[in-house]
Amino acid sequence: MRKIALLVASASIGALASPAFAQEVPAASDNGDGNEEIVVVAQKRAENVQNVPISITAISGEGLARANVASALDLGRVATNFNVQRASQAANVRITIRGIGAPGNTATEPSVATFLDGIYIPRTGSVINGFLDIEGVEVLRGPQGTLFGRNASVGALSLRSATPKPDFSAAITGELENANRYGVKGYVNLPLSENVAVRAAGQGRWFKGYFTNKLDGKRFGGSDEGAGRLSIKANLGKVTWIGRADYSRTTGDGQITADLDSASISAAQLSALQTRLGGVLPDTNLSDLYANHVLHGKLTDRQWGISSTLEAEVGDGFTVKLIDSYRDWKNEQVDGDVIYLPIPLLDRSGAYRSKSNNHELQFISPQGQLLGGKLDFVAGLYYFGEAFSIREQLNMQSQFCNALVPLAQRPACNTLLTSGAGQNAADQQFHQKLDSFAAYTQANVNLTDKLTLVLGGRWTKEKKDGTYIQLVNNPFAVAFRGAENTPLTLDDNRFTYRIGANYKPTSDMMLFASYSTGYKSGGFNSGGGTPALGQRRLFTRETVKDWEAGIKSNWLDNKLTANLTLYRMDIGGYQDRSFDGTSFVVRNAGNLRHQGFEFDLIAKPTRNFRVNASIAYLDSVFTSYPAGSALPGFPAGSTQNLTGTSANFAPDWTGTLGAEWRIDLGSSGLRLVNSVSASFVSDQLLGGVTDNNYLQVNQDGYALLGGRIELQGPDERWSIAVYGRNLTNENYAVNKFYQTLNTALGLNNGVFPGSTAVRVQRADPRSYGVTATYRF
């Protein structure tokens, strides 16, 4: 309640004054006019993206719609060296930049910091709902530790919702898509007076799912989503206040495809598995839209948040900004059977809860005034607190004993199941409390009218306290969980900094070079295992040293934009998830070097035609990883030297290509907007464990094609569009993972020494639909 009281106090301050609206921060603009600029807030102030020495992909809300980007999961199709993907649990969302990310269903901190309206979102599982009234998205590559702090060690994702405007407007959009997917969304922007306006936005989305389970004939993989946001903005002379409240809820089965790759085991093993399962097998056709395993999942995800942003102009052009927020995310999921076989063996219930609050005080100087125009700066004080908890319950199902327990022990095991002791056979409870404080500043020193020195630093202090409790309520559960009660604590502080230089030989070109550091917080391994891990659950910070050099340039009277960034990131104390034969352990495994380039090109030869292209290269190599996980078929405790190998989820090449052509249809006021987009990803390892198992968890490169044809009415009062994603119906995997309880099922070493059975989570197939919008 103390945190909420701070928000109320901030709102009360904002209700005390008078006169008109401050200048809006423009959304990232990309509508085809060669003289328009893209404005971003990557450095805490509104700036032309061409003047910001960071590798950035910036997309407006309109640009997201034209590229058929409905949620963060789609952003990888428009931003190179960036990807968002969920796994078996909806809470397990991995956001990667330049091949570095972390699973979201653990207490491990993310490597990519996510922000909504300048407010840090600590858990990646809470960011995959459909975009609601989003005005702009910025993907910032490279460490952003100075201005964005901890856990922006390889980059940041910044989402900006639309703010209330001084004029009335409203819109409603309906969508209809294949696979029984449909939705409606809209907003109303209402001025209440000359200096106060409100904006209400909402959406609903309903989806049956692309996939069918042959075992029961039911569709799965769909969800129902509802979300709303209410914003108010008051401009009170030199004081501006924005208050926001949002709520979202998602329900569904939460299930994914997890087909068995029959090539990962021998024919004899496949036959033995079929016999063990009573003559049936899980689905082994990796190209169809079917599964054949026990599915009874249920997902409920809800979150809400309130925030206050109070901005005041003081002195001669200085700005003071106070941002306060509180956010509550709760995710509960019954996974269904986590062995993914056609008989009921073992299911899992997972629950995640994050309660977080952000408080930031910013000081922003005017540009072009201090020291005769030679200095401007941003500085701030920051506090972040979070209470985070994870609950996991494992339930033995009716065939657990007969399929997995040695023959002599089955009677005793079945007796326990009959008595009800299979339910909650293993019960895990993890709790963590975090307090983090920081102070930062970044300054631009204009040595000449062409040369600028950039200096920045941030000091962060944080404390984590946690407990890991594992109860084993059935003696047969000791095969996969060990009883444990471990208190955990971590106290750390870190200084990160940035040094750079920008040189502008002309007004249309900027050369830049920088050295920056970042870090990802240490923490606690919240995953279950056997035997008890104790203090092995503790791991320390991951650090990043980043060198970058590049050019940002406009040519031909802004009709051509070409940007290039070269980078090298050295990552020390890399936090990796390894398998020791019985337990998954998060540890500081070694050192990793990621280096490459990002090149972006935008051509606008006319007002009505535009082409954009991006390509990124990434070279990933462990410079030190002496005791990595052995291949899954080797004995428990085995290791291998992974020095010289590459990280998972780190493709060498990613790229995008898009074109847009606008055609005015005579004097009718109608306009046809044709858009086409393509993206590609080269080979990459998709395993959940870093073990260089290239023969089993590699995904070959693939390309995706999308398109949209939109008819707009006069003054864009209405529009109707048809669109498609993955038009060539490319079949590819987004995750590959080893068969749970593979040893007990006899599925190791069938193809080559160290091999095991592999499960494949395939991507969504081709989708297509129609959308219509009416604007008031």
Side-chain angles (χ1 to χ4, degrees):
M1 292 303 295
R2 182 176 67 86
K3 311 304 183 186
I4 297 176
L6 285 171
L7 295 173
V8 175
S10 179
S12 301
I13 294 171
L16 297 176
S18 63
F21 275 85
Q23 181 183 359
E24 297 287 345
V25 175
S29 170
D30 55 359
N31 10 334
D33 186 334
N35 294 317
E36 283 194 7
E37 64 180 29
I38 299 175
V39 177
V40 297
V41 290
Q43 298 189 125
K44 305 285 188 183
R45 65 167 88 231
E47 297 175 284
N48 184 336
V49 68
Q50 292 300 100
N51 294 329
V52 178
I54 299 172
S55 179
I56 303 176
T57 294
I59 315 160
S60 69
E62 294 83 0
L64 294 172
R66 291 198 299 273
N68 303 318
V69 174
S71 73
L73 292 169
D74 300 324
L75 283 173
R77 293 190 283 105
V78 294
T80 55
N81 258 347
F82 178 84
N83 189 46
V84 181
Q85 190 57 57
R86 67 150 285 193
S88 59
Q89 286 185 311
N92 188 2
V93 176
R94 179 189 296 268
I95 303 179
T96 60
I97 286 181
R98 293 176 177 171
I100 301 296
N105 64 337
T106 70
T108 306
E109 302 285 355
S111 303
V112 178
T114 301
F115 295 85
L116 174 62
D117 296 318
I119 294 161
Y120 178 58
I121 308 297
R123 300 298 153 190
T124 56
S126 66
V127 302
I128 62 170
N129 291 336
F131 285 150
L132 172 62
D133 203 24
I134 292 297
E135 194 170 61
V137 173
E138 299 169 21
V139 176
L140 315 179
R141 305 179 190 90
Q144 307 298 320
T146 301
L147 295 180
F148 290 95
R150 57 191 290 279
N151 305 335
S153 56
V154 298
L157 170 64
S158 176
L159 310 175
R160 288 187 287 120
S161 65
T163 56
K165 308 296 191 296
D167 300 315
F168 172 80
S169 64
I172 185 168
T173 299
E175 301 172 337
L176 179 63
E177 201 171 289
N178 65 312
N180 288 326
R181 184 177 224 155
Y182 52 97
V184 61
K185 61 183 177 182
Y187 77 88
V188 176
N189 189 98
L190 182 66
L192 301 181
S193 68
E194 183 182 2
N195 61 342
V196 178
V198 297
R199 187 180 182 102
Q203 71 177 12
R205 303 169 77 204
W206 301 269
F207 179 39
K208 290 294 185 181
Y210 293 115
F211 308 103
T212 300
N213 187 15
K214 291 186 287 188
L215 203 63
D216 57 17
K218 295 181 179 180
R219 295 275 287 276
F220 69 94
S223 63
D224 296 339
E225 299 178 17
R229 179 183 295 113
L230 180 65
S231 306
I232 182 170
K233 180 174 182 179
N235 189 308
L236 312 166
K238 292 187 176 182
V239 176
T240 302
W241 175 71
I242 301 175
R244 298 180 176 93
D246 67 86
Y247 177 85
S248 68
R249 178 180 171 86
T250 300
T251 59
D253 55 58
Q255 301 294 288
I256 63 166
T257 58
D259 290 346
L260 174 64
D261 183 358
S262 59
S264 64
I265 57 178
S266 68
Q269 287 175 317
L270 189 65
S271 177
L273 179 63
Q274 187 171 16
T275 300
R276 183 190 289 259
L277 300 178
V280 295
L281 281 171
D283 190 71
T284 58
N285 185 344
L286 306 184
S287 300
D288 64 15
L289 299 180
Y290 291 93
N292 193 44
H293 56 263
V294 175
L295 285 171
H296 51 264
K298 181 180 179 181
L299 167 68
T300 302
D301 182 290
R302 74 104 181 100
Q303 60 179 301
W304 63 272
I306 54 177
S307 69
S308 168
T309 302
L310 182 66
E311 185 173 325
E313 185 179 334
V314 297
D316 189 12
F318 286 84
T319 299
V320 177
K321 184 183 292 188
L322 175 63
I323 302 173
D324 298 298
S325 73
Y326 179 83
R327 192 152 203 89
D328 187 330
W329 172 61
K330 183 178 181 180
N331 177 288
E332 296 178 335
Q333 181 171 343
V334 177
D335 285 340
D337 201 291
V338 294
I339 314 301
Y340 300 104
L341 292 174
I343 60 175
L345 295 173
L346 184 73
D347 74 23
R348 173 177 64 182
S349 298
Y352 301 84
R353 186 75 180 270
S354 170
K355 300 178 181 179
S356 64
N357 57 96
N358 287 260
H359 306 282
E360 183 172 7
L361 182 62
Q362 299 177 4
F363 305 89
I364 304 171
S365 77
Q367 292 179 303
Q369 293 188 29
L370 300 182
L371 301 180
K374 293 187 177 299
L375 176 68
D376 63 77
F377 67 87
V378 174
L381 301 172
Y382 180 73
Y383 168 78
F384 173 75
E386 183 194 27
F388 181 53
S389 63
I390 301 175
R391 181 87 181 266
E392 178 198 73
Q393 294 177 307
L394 297 177
N395 306 300
M396 295 177 180
Q397 300 302 299
S398 60
Q399 296 302 309
F400 179 90
C401 302
N402 296 333
L404 297 172
V405 173
L407 184 62
Q409 300 176 15
R410 288 178 190 174
C413 180
N414 281 313
T415 298
L416 287 171
L417 286 188
T418 303
S419 70
Q423 295 303 301
N424 199 17
D427 187 349
Q428 171 198 302
Q429 301 173 40
F430 173 82
H431 301 277
Q432 172 183 287
K433 184 178 183 300
L434 164 69
D435 292 291
S436 178
F437 302 86
Y440 65 87
T441 187
Q442 181 167 298
N444 295 319
V445 182
N446 299 314
L447 302 178
T448 72
D449 59 348
K450 298 181 182 295
L451 181 61
T452 300
L453 180 65
V454 181
L455 299 171
R458 186 183 189 107
W459 176 81
T460 303
K461 178 176 176 57
E462 60 184 11
K463 189 175 191 303
K464 287 182 179 179
D465 293 296
T467 57
Y468 178 90
I469 299 172
Q470 178 69 68
L471 304 177
V472 179
N473 302 318
N474 185 309
F476 290 94
V478 297
F480 43 84
R481 292 292 184 267
E484 184 174 349
N485 189 335
T486 302
L488 299 160
T489 186
L490 177 69
D491 198 342
D492 195 15
N493 66 85
R494 183 73 173 175
F495 180 73
T496 56
Y497 59 93
R498 178 183 181 88
I499 302 172
N502 308 330
Y503 178 67
K504 298 196 71 171
T506 71
S507 61
D508 293 327
M509 181 180 296
M510 181 178 71
L511 306 173
F512 64 91
S514 67
Y515 174 76
S516 58
T517 63
Y519 87 102
K520 184 169 78 168
S521 300
F524 313 133
N525 176 14
S526 59
T530 185
L533 296 177
Q535 292 303 312
R536 291 176 63 200
R537 294 190 174 278
L538 181 67
F539 53 90
T540 60
R541 73 172 83 102
E542 175 182 294
T543 62
V544 179
K545 300 177 181 178
D546 179 64
W547 294 261
E548 296 196 10
I551 180 173
K552 294 197 169 186
S553 61
N554 292 318
W555 306 83
L556 304 175
D557 193 25
N558 290 333
K559 288 182 171 56
L560 179 67
T561 299
N563 297 335
L564 173 67
T565 301
L566 309 174
Y567 67 89
R568 169 181 283 185
M569 298 193 308
D570 282 339
I571 301 167
Y574 179 61
Q575 296 172 6
D576 195 27
R577 182 171 178 259
S578 60
F579 187 66
D580 65 3
T582 57
S583 303
F584 287 99
V585 180
V586 179
R587 60 195 177 105
N588 300 97
N591 301 324
L592 180 64
R593 172 170 291 170
H594 278 198
Q595 58 187 352
F597 69 82
E598 289 136 359
F599 178 69
D600 301 298
L601 184 72
I602 301 174
K604 309 171 190 175
T606 71
R607 287 180 59 90
N608 291 327
F609 185 68
R610 164 196 175 105
V611 176
N612 60 274
S614 299
I615 189 168
Y617 173 69
L618 167 63
D619 174 41
S620 169
V621 62
F622 282 105
T623 56
S624 175
Y625 199 158
S629 296
L631 292 176
F634 286 118
S638 301
T639 63
Q640 62 174 319
N641 188 352
L642 294 175
T643 303
T645 66
S646 64
N648 294 348
F649 302 99
D652 288 352
W653 295 96
T654 56
T656 66
L657 178 65
E660 180 181 289
W661 184 21
R662 301 182 173 210
I663 304 172
D664 294 322
L665 302 178
S667 59
S668 65
L670 300 178
R671 172 183 284 181
L672 196 63
V673 182
N674 304 290
S675 304
V676 63
S677 61
S679 62
F680 73 89
V681 179
S682 66
D683 294 10
Q684 60 179 315
L685 298 174
L686 297 180
V689 177
T690 303
D691 58 8
N692 196 38
N693 191 355
Y694 188 88
L695 294 177
Q696 292 200 299
V697 298
N698 180 66
Q699 168 60 52
D700 292 337
Y702 56 89
L704 303 177
L705 179 66
R708 181 185 180 98
I709 300 175
E710 180 177 347
L711 178 65
Q712 298 176 348
D715 301 320
E716 297 186 35
R717 176 59 61 90
W718 57 265
S719 65
I720 184 168
V722 294
Y723 62 88
R725 306 183 192 92
N726 190 9
L727 289 174
T728 59
N729 203 27
E730 185 76 15
N731 178 29
Y732 62 99
V734 293
N735 278 299
K736 296 188 178 185
F737 57 95
Y738 299 141
Q739 170 69 52
T740 309
L741 299 181
N742 48 4
T743 301
L745 291 168
L747 299 178
N748 290 340
N749 304 311
V751 179
F752 59 85
S755 66
T756 195
V758 172
R759 293 290 185 156
V760 177
Q761 178 188 350
R762 70 158 289 172
D764 290 344
R766 175 172 45 227
S767 62
Y768 48 87
V770 59
T771 178
T773 298
Y774 188 82
R775 299 173 180 86
F776 300 88

